[in-house]
PDB file of all heavy atoms in Angstrom:
ATOM      1  N   SER A   1      99.240 118.496 110.218  1.00  0.00           N
ATOM      2  CA  SER A   1     100.585 118.641 109.642  1.00  0.00           C
ATOM      3  C   SER A   1     100.788 117.604 108.560  1.00  0.00           C
ATOM      4  O   SER A   1     101.545 117.777 107.615  1.00  0.00           O
ATOM      5  CB  SER A   1     101.627 118.528 110.695  1.00  0.00           C
ATOM      6  OG  SER A   1     101.571 117.323 111.318  1.00  0.00           O
ATOM      7  N   GLY A   2     100.199 116.470 108.707  1.00  0.00           N
ATOM      8  CA  GLY A   2     100.141 115.423 107.667  1.00  0.00           C
ATOM      9  C   GLY A   2     101.526 115.050 107.160  1.00  0.00           C
ATOM     10  O   GLY A   2     102.508 114.798 107.914  1.00  0.00           O
ATOM     11  N   CYS A   3     101.655 115.025 105.863  1.00  0.00           N
ATOM     12  CA  CYS A   3     102.923 114.513 105.262  1.00  0.00           C
ATOM     13  C   CYS A   3     103.989 115.587 105.277  1.00  0.00           C
ATOM     14  O   CYS A   3     105.117 115.328 104.847  1.00  0.00           O
ATOM     15  CB  CYS A   3     102.672 114.174 103.757  1.00  0.00           C
ATOM     16  SG  CYS A   3     101.492 112.760 103.643  1.00  0.00           S
ATOM     17  N   SER A   4     103.703 116.789 105.765  1.00  0.00           N
ATOM     18  CA  SER A   4     104.771 117.804 105.728  1.00  0.00           C
ATOM     19  C   SER A   4     105.860 117.486 106.758  1.00  0.00           C
ATOM     20  O   SER A   4     106.937 118.037 106.618  1.00  0.00           O
ATOM     21  CB  SER A   4     104.166 119.182 106.137  1.00  0.00           C
ATOM     22  OG  SER A   4     103.705 119.171 107.482  1.00  0.00           O
ATOM     23  N   LEU A   5     105.639 116.574 107.639  1.00  0.00           N
ATOM     24  CA  LEU A   5     106.648 116.152 108.556  1.00  0.00           C
ATOM     25  C   LEU A   5     107.580 115.094 107.977  1.00  0.00           C
ATOM     26  O   LEU A   5     108.663 114.811 108.488  1.00  0.00           O
ATOM     27  CB  LEU A   5     106.049 115.627 109.827  1.00  0.00           C
ATOM     28  CG  LEU A   5     105.241 116.617 110.709  1.00  0.00           C
ATOM     29  CD1 LEU A   5     104.617 115.920 111.885  1.00  0.00           C
ATOM     30  CD2 LEU A   5     106.122 117.744 111.146  1.00  0.00           C
ATOM     31  N   LEU A   6     107.131 114.412 106.919  1.00  0.00           N
ATOM     32  CA  LEU A   6     107.937 113.362 106.291  1.00  0.00           C
ATOM     33  C   LEU A   6     109.041 113.977 105.394  1.00  0.00           C
ATOM     34  O   LEU A   6     108.744 114.945 104.688  1.00  0.00           O
ATOM     35  CB  LEU A   6     107.012 112.422 105.534  1.00  0.00           C
ATOM     36  CG  LEU A   6     105.973 111.707 106.303  1.00  0.00           C
ATOM     37  CD1 LEU A   6     105.056 110.904 105.416  1.00  0.00           C
ATOM     38  CD2 LEU A   6     106.605 110.853 107.402  1.00  0.00           C
ATOM     39  N   PRO A   7     110.240 113.406 105.435  1.00  0.00           N
ATOM     40  CA  PRO A   7     111.240 113.916 104.469  1.00  0.00           C
ATOM     41  C   PRO A   7     110.928 113.509 103.059  1.00  0.00           C
ATOM     42  O   PRO A   7     110.283 112.557 102.805  1.00  0.00           O
ATOM     43  CB  PRO A   7     112.559 113.175 104.976  1.00  0.00           C
ATOM     44  CG  PRO A   7     112.092 111.930 105.574  1.00  0.00           C
ATOM     45  CD  PRO A   7     110.707 112.314 106.223  1.00  0.00           C
ATOM     46  N   GLY A   8     111.343 114.350 102.203  1.00  0.00           N
ATOM     47  CA  GLY A   8     111.119 113.997 100.709  1.00  0.00           C
ATOM     48  C   GLY A   8     111.351 115.203  99.926  1.00  0.00           C
ATOM     49  O   GLY A   8     111.837 116.206 100.407  1.00  0.00           O
ATOM     50  N   GLU A   9     110.977 115.080  98.679  1.00  0.00           N
ATOM     51  CA  GLU A   9     111.248 116.141  97.742  1.00  0.00           C
ATOM     52  C   GLU A   9     110.162 117.274  97.901  1.00  0.00           C
ATOM     53  O   GLU A   9     109.038 116.950  98.211  1.00  0.00           O
ATOM     54  CB  GLU A   9     111.180 115.644  96.313  1.00  0.00           C
ATOM     55  CG  GLU A   9     112.280 114.646  95.973  1.00  0.00           C
ATOM     56  CD  GLU A   9     112.211 114.283  94.496  1.00  0.00           C
ATOM     57  OE1 GLU A   9     111.539 114.871  93.741  1.00  0.00           O
ATOM     58  OE2 GLU A   9     112.891 113.251  94.181  1.00  0.00           O
ATOM     59  N   VAL A  10     110.673 118.443  97.747  1.00  0.00           N
ATOM     60  CA  VAL A  10     109.723 119.556  97.797  1.00  0.00           C
ATOM     61  C   VAL A  10     109.167 119.721  96.355  1.00  0.00           C
ATOM     62  O   VAL A  10     109.888 119.745  95.399  1.00  0.00           O
ATOM     63  CB  VAL A  10     110.449 120.860  98.172  1.00  0.00           C
ATOM     64  CG1 VAL A  10     109.562 122.077  98.157  1.00  0.00           C
ATOM     65  CG2 VAL A  10     111.131 120.682  99.533  1.00  0.00           C
ATOM     66  N   PRO A  11     107.860 119.793  96.256  1.00  0.00           N
ATOM     67  CA  PRO A  11     107.268 119.878  94.889  1.00  0.00           C
ATOM     68  C   PRO A  11     107.682 121.182  94.201  1.00  0.00           C
ATOM     69  O   PRO A  11     107.691 122.216  94.878  1.00  0.00           O
ATOM     70  CB  PRO A  11     105.783 119.834  95.114  1.00  0.00           C
ATOM     71  CG  PRO A  11     105.533 120.204  96.558  1.00  0.00           C
ATOM     72  CD  PRO A  11     106.834 119.797  97.307  1.00  0.00           C
ATOM     73  N   ALA A  12     107.999 121.075  92.969  1.00  0.00           N
ATOM     74  CA  ALA A  12     108.480 122.246  92.225  1.00  0.00           C
ATOM     75  C   ALA A  12     107.230 123.051  91.874  1.00  0.00           C
ATOM     76  O   ALA A  12     106.214 122.553  91.486  1.00  0.00           O
ATOM     77  CB  ALA A  12     109.128 121.781  90.912  1.00  0.00           C
ATOM     78  N   THR A  13     107.330 124.345  92.065  1.00  0.00           N
ATOM     79  CA  THR A  13     106.221 125.274  91.708  1.00  0.00           C
ATOM     80  C   THR A  13     106.701 126.187  90.633  1.00  0.00           C
ATOM     81  O   THR A  13     107.856 126.603  90.616  1.00  0.00           O
ATOM     82  CB  THR A  13     105.722 126.096  92.905  1.00  0.00           C
ATOM     83  OG1 THR A  13     106.836 126.787  93.382  1.00  0.00           O
ATOM     84  CG2 THR A  13     105.228 125.201  94.021  1.00  0.00           C
ATOM     85  N   ASP A  14     105.801 126.500  89.771  1.00  0.00           N
ATOM     86  CA  ASP A  14     106.161 127.488  88.745  1.00  0.00           C
ATOM     87  C   ASP A  14     105.977 128.899  89.284  1.00  0.00           C
ATOM     88  O   ASP A  14     104.909 129.270  89.751  1.00  0.00           O
ATOM     89  CB  ASP A  14     105.170 127.353  87.515  1.00  0.00           C
ATOM     90  CG  ASP A  14     105.408 126.032  86.791  1.00  0.00           C
ATOM     91  OD1 ASP A  14     106.490 125.475  86.918  1.00  0.00           O
ATOM     92  OD2 ASP A  14     104.433 125.520  86.226  1.00  0.00           O
ATOM     93  N   ALA A  15     107.087 129.540  89.339  1.00  0.00           N
ATOM     94  CA  ALA A  15     107.056 130.929  89.872  1.00  0.00           C
ATOM     95  C   ALA A  15     106.436 131.861  88.847  1.00  0.00           C
ATOM     96  O   ALA A  15     106.748 131.746  87.642  1.00  0.00           O
ATOM     97  CB  ALA A  15     108.486 131.391  90.218  1.00  0.00           C
ATOM     98  N   ALA A  16     105.563 132.721  89.333  1.00  0.00           N
ATOM     99  CA  ALA A  16     104.983 133.680  88.452  1.00  0.00           C
ATOM    100  C   ALA A  16     106.050 134.706  87.999  1.00  0.00           C
ATOM    101  O   ALA A  16     106.908 135.090  88.751  1.00  0.00           O
ATOM    102  CB  ALA A  16     103.835 134.408  89.124  1.00  0.00           C
ATOM    103  N   PRO A  17     106.068 135.110  86.729  1.00  0.00           N
ATOM    104  CA  PRO A  17     107.023 136.046  86.252  1.00  0.00           C
ATOM    105  C   PRO A  17     106.890 137.379  87.016  1.00  0.00           C
ATOM    106  O   PRO A  17     105.771 137.811  87.307  1.00  0.00           O
ATOM    107  CB  PRO A  17     106.737 136.212  84.756  1.00  0.00           C
ATOM    108  CG  PRO A  17     105.390 135.660  84.516  1.00  0.00           C
ATOM    109  CD  PRO A  17     105.116 134.713  85.673  1.00  0.00           C
ATOM    110  N   ALA A  18     108.050 137.953  87.253  1.00  0.00           N
ATOM    111  CA  ALA A  18     107.983 139.213  88.006  1.00  0.00           C
ATOM    112  C   ALA A  18     107.347 140.288  87.137  1.00  0.00           C
ATOM    113  O   ALA A  18     107.509 140.344  85.949  1.00  0.00           O
ATOM    114  CB  ALA A  18     109.408 139.586  88.432  1.00  0.00           C
ATOM    115  N   ALA A  19     106.660 141.217  87.776  1.00  0.00           N
ATOM    116  CA  ALA A  19     105.994 142.252  87.075  1.00  0.00           C
ATOM    117  C   ALA A  19     107.116 143.173  86.533  1.00  0.00           C
ATOM    118  O   ALA A  19     108.068 143.556  87.246  1.00  0.00           O
ATOM    119  CB  ALA A  19     105.073 143.057  88.001  1.00  0.00           C
ATOM    120  N   THR A  20     106.969 143.574  85.336  1.00  0.00           N
ATOM    121  CA  THR A  20     107.964 144.452  84.711  1.00  0.00           C
ATOM    122  C   THR A  20     107.318 145.829  84.542  1.00  0.00           C
ATOM    123  O   THR A  20     106.152 145.938  84.234  1.00  0.00           O
ATOM    124  CB  THR A  20     108.448 143.901  83.339  1.00  0.00           C
ATOM    125  OG1 THR A  20     107.300 143.706  82.524  1.00  0.00           O
ATOM    126  CG2 THR A  20     109.153 142.592  83.543  1.00  0.00           C
ATOM    127  N   SER A  21     108.114 146.794  84.668  1.00  0.00           N
ATOM    128  CA  SER A  21     107.608 148.134  84.444  1.00  0.00           C
ATOM    129  C   SER A  21     107.598 148.433  82.942  1.00  0.00           C
ATOM    130  O   SER A  21     108.423 147.972  82.191  1.00  0.00           O
ATOM    131  CB  SER A  21     108.482 149.139  85.233  1.00  0.00           C
ATOM    132  OG  SER A  21     109.700 149.225  84.696  1.00  0.00           O
ATOM    133  N   LYS A  22     106.672 149.251  82.580  1.00  0.00           N
ATOM    134  CA  LYS A  22     106.520 149.651  81.154  1.00  0.00           C
ATOM    135  C   LYS A  22     107.317 150.874  80.852  1.00  0.00           C
ATOM    136  O   LYS A  22     106.818 151.982  80.522  1.00  0.00           O
ATOM    137  CB  LYS A  22     105.076 149.855  80.802  1.00  0.00           C
ATOM    138  CG  LYS A  22     104.228 148.619  80.950  1.00  0.00           C
ATOM    139  CD  LYS A  22     104.569 147.614  79.895  1.00  0.00           C
ATOM    140  CE  LYS A  22     103.745 146.370  80.029  1.00  0.00           C
ATOM    141  NZ  LYS A  22     104.014 145.356  79.051  1.00  0.00           N
ATOM    142  N   ALA A  23     108.636 150.819  81.047  1.00  0.00           N
ATOM    143  CA  ALA A  23     109.462 151.967  80.769  1.00  0.00           C
ATOM    144  C   ALA A  23     109.657 152.154  79.312  1.00  0.00           C
ATOM    145  O   ALA A  23     109.680 151.097  78.574  1.00  0.00           O
ATOM    146  CB  ALA A  23     110.801 151.795  81.495  1.00  0.00           C
ATOM    147  N   PRO A  24     109.894 153.293  78.783  1.00  0.00           N
ATOM    148  CA  PRO A  24     110.117 153.466  77.362  1.00  0.00           C
ATOM    149  C   PRO A  24     111.413 152.728  76.950  1.00  0.00           C
ATOM    150  O   PRO A  24     112.423 152.686  77.658  1.00  0.00           O
ATOM    151  CB  PRO A  24     110.278 155.018  77.169  1.00  0.00           C
ATOM    152  CG  PRO A  24     110.309 155.608  78.594  1.00  0.00           C
ATOM    153  CD  PRO A  24     109.937 154.566  79.554  1.00  0.00           C
ATOM    154  N   VAL A  25     111.314 152.127  75.783  1.00  0.00           N
ATOM    155  CA  VAL A  25     112.464 151.369  75.218  1.00  0.00           C
ATOM    156  C   VAL A  25     113.146 152.233  74.118  1.00  0.00           C
ATOM    157  O   VAL A  25     112.446 152.709  73.294  1.00  0.00           O
ATOM    158  CB  VAL A  25     111.988 150.025  74.626  1.00  0.00           C
ATOM    159  CG1 VAL A  25     113.105 149.267  74.027  1.00  0.00           C
ATOM    160  CG2 VAL A  25     111.292 149.263  75.692  1.00  0.00           C
ATOM    161  N   LYS A  26     114.483 152.349  74.266  1.00  0.00           N
ATOM    162  CA  LYS A  26     115.233 153.063  73.226  1.00  0.00           C
ATOM    163  C   LYS A  26     115.341 152.245  71.976  1.00  0.00           C
ATOM    164  O   LYS A  26     115.277 151.018  72.022  1.00  0.00           O
ATOM    165  CB  LYS A  26     116.633 153.382  73.749  1.00  0.00           C
ATOM    166  CG  LYS A  26     116.664 154.345  74.933  1.00  0.00           C
ATOM    167  CD  LYS A  26     118.053 154.632  75.355  1.00  0.00           C
ATOM    168  CE  LYS A  26     118.039 155.571  76.532  1.00  0.00           C
ATOM    169  NZ  LYS A  26     119.350 155.873  76.968  1.00  0.00           N
ATOM    170  N   ASP A  27     115.531 152.924  70.861  1.00  0.00           N
ATOM    171  CA  ASP A  27     115.649 152.190  69.599  1.00  0.00           C
ATOM    172  C   ASP A  27     116.865 151.184  69.665  1.00  0.00           C
ATOM    173  O   ASP A  27     117.907 151.539  70.113  1.00  0.00           O
ATOM    174  CB  ASP A  27     115.833 153.143  68.445  1.00  0.00           C
ATOM    175  CG  ASP A  27     114.728 154.020  68.198  1.00  0.00           C
ATOM    176  OD1 ASP A  27     113.531 153.583  68.461  1.00  0.00           O
ATOM    177  OD2 ASP A  27     114.859 155.140  67.675  1.00  0.00           O
ATOM    178  N   GLY A  28     116.636 149.964  69.197  1.00  0.00           N
ATOM    179  CA  GLY A  28     117.668 148.975  69.150  1.00  0.00           C
ATOM    180  C   GLY A  28     117.824 148.157  70.461  1.00  0.00           C
ATOM    181  O   GLY A  28     118.540 147.190  70.511  1.00  0.00           O
ATOM    182  N   ALA A  29     117.189 148.606  71.486  1.00  0.00           N
ATOM    183  CA  ALA A  29     117.270 147.891  72.789  1.00  0.00           C
ATOM    184  C   ALA A  29     116.300 146.747  72.787  1.00  0.00           C
ATOM    185  O   ALA A  29     115.184 146.866  72.272  1.00  0.00           O
ATOM    186  CB  ALA A  29     117.065 148.821  73.950  1.00  0.00           C
ATOM    187  N   LYS A  30     116.704 145.640  73.371  1.00  0.00           N
ATOM    188  CA  LYS A  30     115.798 144.422  73.396  1.00  0.00           C
ATOM    189  C   LYS A  30     115.026 144.503  74.716  1.00  0.00           C
ATOM    190  O   LYS A  30     115.518 144.866  75.761  1.00  0.00           O
ATOM    191  CB  LYS A  30     116.618 143.151  73.407  1.00  0.00           C
ATOM    192  CG  LYS A  30     117.297 142.927  72.117  1.00  0.00           C
ATOM    193  CD  LYS A  30     118.015 141.550  72.118  1.00  0.00           C
ATOM    194  CE  LYS A  30     118.599 141.262  70.776  1.00  0.00           C
ATOM    195  NZ  LYS A  30     119.190 139.933  70.739  1.00  0.00           N
ATOM    196  N   THR A  31     113.760 144.068  74.630  1.00  0.00           N
ATOM    197  CA  THR A  31     112.958 143.954  75.844  1.00  0.00           C
ATOM    198  C   THR A  31     113.267 142.638  76.473  1.00  0.00           C
ATOM    199  O   THR A  31     113.701 141.689  75.804  1.00  0.00           O
ATOM    200  CB  THR A  31     111.485 144.170  75.471  1.00  0.00           C
ATOM    201  OG1 THR A  31     111.119 143.068  74.625  1.00  0.00           O
ATOM    202  CG2 THR A  31     111.177 145.459  74.814  1.00  0.00           C
ATOM    203  N   PRO A  32     112.891 142.467  77.732  1.00  0.00           N
ATOM    204  CA  PRO A  32     113.142 141.148  78.374  1.00  0.00           C
ATOM    205  C   PRO A  32     112.440 139.998  77.698  1.00  0.00           C
ATOM    206  O   PRO A  32     112.923 138.909  77.682  1.00  0.00           O
ATOM    207  CB  PRO A  32     112.650 141.358  79.866  1.00  0.00           C
ATOM    208  CG  PRO A  32     112.658 142.806  80.032  1.00  0.00           C
ATOM    209  CD  PRO A  32     112.464 143.453  78.688  1.00  0.00           C
ATOM    210  N   GLU A  33     111.307 140.259  77.074  1.00  0.00           N
ATOM    211  CA  GLU A  33     110.573 139.209  76.471  1.00  0.00           C
ATOM    212  C   GLU A  33     111.217 138.703  75.207  1.00  0.00           C
ATOM    213  O   GLU A  33     110.972 137.622  74.709  1.00  0.00           O
ATOM    214  CB  GLU A  33     109.114 139.689  76.111  1.00  0.00           C
ATOM    215  CG  GLU A  33     108.194 139.900  77.365  1.00  0.00           C
ATOM    216  CD  GLU A  33     108.484 141.338  77.898  1.00  0.00           C
ATOM    217  OE1 GLU A  33     108.977 142.232  77.263  1.00  0.00           O
ATOM    218  OE2 GLU A  33     108.123 141.506  79.125  1.00  0.00           O
ATOM    219  N   SER A  34     112.070 139.593  74.561  1.00  0.00           N
ATOM    220  CA  SER A  34     112.631 139.203  73.291  1.00  0.00           C
ATOM    221  C   SER A  34     113.983 138.570  73.399  1.00  0.00           C
ATOM    222  O   SER A  34     114.568 138.144  72.424  1.00  0.00           O
ATOM    223  CB  SER A  34     112.728 140.436  72.379  1.00  0.00           C
ATOM    224  OG  SER A  34     113.650 141.385  73.004  1.00  0.00           O
ATOM    225  N   LYS A  35     114.461 138.364  74.626  1.00  0.00           N
ATOM    226  CA  LYS A  35     115.732 137.676  74.858  1.00  0.00           C
ATOM    227  C   LYS A  35     115.601 136.163  74.573  1.00  0.00           C
ATOM    228  O   LYS A  35     114.595 135.571  74.846  1.00  0.00           O
ATOM    229  CB  LYS A  35     116.239 137.815  76.271  1.00  0.00           C
ATOM    230  CG  LYS A  35     116.753 139.185  76.603  1.00  0.00           C
ATOM    231  CD  LYS A  35     117.299 139.200  78.013  1.00  0.00           C
ATOM    232  CE  LYS A  35     117.825 140.531  78.398  1.00  0.00           C
ATOM    233  NZ  LYS A  35     118.274 140.518  79.804  1.00  0.00           N
ATOM    234  N   ALA A  36     116.601 135.593  74.006  1.00  0.00           N
ATOM    235  CA  ALA A  36     116.622 134.162  73.778  1.00  0.00           C
ATOM    236  C   ALA A  36     116.809 133.454  75.089  1.00  0.00           C
ATOM    237  O   ALA A  36     117.513 133.950  75.981  1.00  0.00           O
ATOM    238  CB  ALA A  36     117.772 133.802  72.846  1.00  0.00           C
ATOM    239  N   PRO A  37     116.182 132.322  75.355  1.00  0.00           N
ATOM    240  CA  PRO A  37     116.345 131.621  76.573  1.00  0.00           C
ATOM    241  C   PRO A  37     117.763 131.154  76.756  1.00  0.00           C
ATOM    242  O   PRO A  37     118.428 130.721  75.831  1.00  0.00           O
ATOM    243  CB  PRO A  37     115.423 130.410  76.461  1.00  0.00           C
ATOM    244  CG  PRO A  37     115.116 130.262  75.057  1.00  0.00           C
ATOM    245  CD  PRO A  37     115.298 131.617  74.498  1.00  0.00           C
ATOM    246  N   GLU A  38     118.252 131.270  77.983  1.00  0.00           N
ATOM    247  CA  GLU A  38     119.658 130.941  78.205  1.00  0.00           C
ATOM    248  C   GLU A  38     119.742 129.389  78.333  1.00  0.00           C
ATOM    249  O   GLU A  38     118.860 128.728  78.827  1.00  0.00           O
ATOM    250  CB  GLU A  38     120.106 131.501  79.607  1.00  0.00           C
ATOM    251  CG  GLU A  38     120.201 133.020  79.565  1.00  0.00           C
ATOM    252  CD  GLU A  38     120.673 133.555  80.925  1.00  0.00           C
ATOM    253  OE1 GLU A  38     121.311 132.809  81.678  1.00  0.00           O
ATOM    254  OE2 GLU A  38     120.343 134.708  81.182  1.00  0.00           O
TER     255      GLU A  38
END
């Protein structure tokens, strides 16, 4: 169990981007990849 029993910060992990479906995109619609970061 090692250090997992000690209190402390949980290491941040980079979550893998969710799989997106390749649905057809209508003209003028933005894809999730083209959105500006919030």
Side-chain angles (χ1 to χ4, degrees):
S1 64
C3 296
S4 66
L5 295 177
L6 299 175
E9 294 183 15
V10 177
T13 58
D14 293 333
T20 57
S21 64
K22 297 290 181 181
V25 178
K26 294 182 181 180
D27 292 334
K30 292 185 177 182
T31 62
E33 293 83 20
S34 63
K35 286 184 181 178
E38 294 181 24

